Amino acid sequence: MNRAKGLLTMFLFVAAFIAVPAKAESIASFPKDFLDWPVVKESVNLPADAVLPPDTSLFIQESVRAYSWINNGLGSPLTIRVHPNKLAEYRTHGPYSDGPTAVAVSEAQGIVWVTEHIGGEAVYGSYNRQGKDISHQHPSLQPTFCQSCHTTYKDICINGTCAEPVLDVYSE
């Protein structure tokens, strides 16, 4: 009886351990000096109630859907900065040398999305302004989410950086 009870306890412990999802962690490293990087674009995380033109790209539609929760659905200015040593690479969308490449900062929410290149591949991370990893706070902040979107829309996201700011949708 004690052996059966011990086996049951061990089984329940292992089952509980397997059932607990792993905590998401950023892959890209947080660049402490990102505020010194030049601003290359300004855009916006649109509010949840934004009405997009009918011909809006799927990339923008997905971006709006994914980030409509930011700033309690009110949207946020978005500032894009690029590492000073990677400006020429950014202008041609790579290929990129290794190291931190770009950040997108949701100004109202304080989210810092980081794109870094390692071995020619883009990796991603989500942090607050102090450098604390926040990728576990929302599914759209997880590196796998970033990777999925950035690889799905290869016509817009070339070598890991994307080139269709949401404001362009409204600039006509």
Side-chain angles (χ1 to χ4, degrees), residues 29 144 165:
S29 54
T144 53

Side-chain angles (χ1 to χ4, degrees), residues 40-46 52-53 56-57 59-61 63-64 78-80 90 93 104 155-157 161-172:
V40 295
K41 264 186 232 174
E42 292 181 340
S43 189
V44 66
N45 292 118
L46 289 173
L52 298 171
T56 302
S57 73
F59 173 76
I60 295 298
Q61 291 177 46
S63 295
V64 171
L78 188 68
T79 305
I80 315 298
Y90 181 78
H93 279 287
D155 56 330
I156 294 168
C157 301
T161 59
C162 303
E164 189 177 22
V166 73
L167 289 179
D168 286 354
V169 171
Y170 294 99
S171 66
E172 295 180 358

Side-chain angles (χ1 to χ4, degrees), residues 23-31 111-116 118 123-128 131-138 140-144 146:
K23 179 180 173 185
E25 291 186 9
S26 292
I27 300 169
S29 54
F30 180 77
I111 298 168
V112 180
W113 287 280
V114 180
T115 301
E116 179 175 2
I118 300 173
V123 294
Y124 304 96
S126 301
Y127 298 89
N128 66 18
K132 181 182 175 194
D133 188 328
I134 59 168
S135 58
H136 62 281
Q137 292 183 357
H138 193 274
S140 65
L141 298 176
Q142 296 177 9
T144 53
C146 301

Side-chain angles (χ1 to χ4, degrees), residues 60-80:
I60 295 298
Q61 291 177 46
E62 284 296 309
S63 295
V64 171
R65 183 192 60 74
Y67 301 112
S68 63
W69 59 272
I70 288 179
N71 194 22
N72 296 317
L74 299 175
S76 172
L78 188 68
T79 305
I80 315 298

